[in-house]
Amino acid sequence: MEAAPLYRIGELSKLAKISARTIDYYTSLGLVEPAKRSDKNYRLYSHETLLRLQRIEEMKKDKYTLDEIKASLDTWSKITPEEQISLKLTEIQQHLTQLEREVKELEPVIKQLKPRQANRLYTSLTPQTAACIEALMLLMNKSSLM
């Protein structure tokens, strides 16, 4: 059986597409930690650390503070995979509920648009956004607006 790869900080930095200095900072905050040290005392990081760094960056894009990210990651590391899935599905459901509320707020405004205005609005959407809106409308059992 092949051993899991370990990365020096420079390698991890390239793979994660973040600076080694940022990884040092995250290490000092306790967001990540080296799996072990090499014979020459280099910090070696596991593949799980790479996944953790990717999760941290995703959460930062979602406007979480580093304290909130640390609390979330600490919670995740203390629960079973089944609990993680359950929590994530609950989080997605809450997000979906919020999106449904926002779509409902837009419905009266959209209904007041003239056909030409509505068409111009829909053509300015990216395909991904349009697909997302369509999926939300289907989930809400609404007829298609597009």
Side-chain angles (χ1 to χ4, degrees):
M1 181 180 236
E2 202 173 298
L6 294 174
Y7 309 106
R8 288 181 22 187
I9 195 165
E11 298 167 320
L12 183 64
S13 171
K14 287 178 187 170
L15 290 169
K17 297 183 176 90
I18 60 174
S19 72
R21 190 172 179 167
T22 299
I23 295 171
D24 278 336
Y25 182 60
Y26 290 168
T27 302
S28 73
L29 294 176
L31 289 168
V32 296
E33 58 185 48
K36 67 181 205 175
R37 294 237 177 214
S38 72
D39 294 337
K40 295 184 179 181
N41 208 29
Y42 289 115
R43 288 173 289 172
L44 299 174
Y45 294 89
S46 67
H47 184 71
E48 287 74 27
T49 303
L50 174 61
L51 299 176
R52 192 172 175 104
L53 286 169
Q54 291 167 342
R55 178 74 178 138
I56 291 167
E57 293 303 304
E58 287 172 18
M59 292 178 78
K60 279 177 51 182
K61 286 178 187 170
D62 289 338
K63 308 293 186 214
Y64 287 91
T65 67
L66 290 176
D67 287 337
E68 291 170 329
I69 292 170
K70 184 172 182 355
S72 176
L73 292 174
D74 287 347
T75 300
W76 278 90
S77 64
K78 293 176 185 171
I79 60 176
T80 66
E82 292 82 11
E83 291 171 315
Q84 289 178 7
I85 292 169
S86 178
L87 285 171
K88 189 62 180 174
L89 289 173
T90 300
E91 183 182 310
I92 290 169
Q93 181 60 47
Q94 290 170 344
H95 191 68
L96 181 60
T97 301
Q98 176 61 32
L99 288 172
E100 286 176 1
R101 270 188 246 131
E102 291 175 16
V103 168
K104 284 179 184 177
E105 289 173 11
L106 282 176
E107 274 186 298
V109 176
I110 291 171
K111 287 180 180 176
Q112 291 178 359
L113 292 176
K114 294 177 182 170
R116 193 171 180 170
Q117 290 173 315
N119 188 38
R120 202 169 38 237
L121 172 71
Y122 297 137
T123 57
S124 69
L125 297 174
T126 65
Q128 294 87 350
T129 302
C132 184
I133 291 170
E134 186 71 23
L136 281 170
M137 296 306 289
L138 288 171
L139 287 171
M140 293 170 45
N141 296 319
K142 301 287 181 182
S143 62
S144 175
L145 289 176
M146 292 182 237

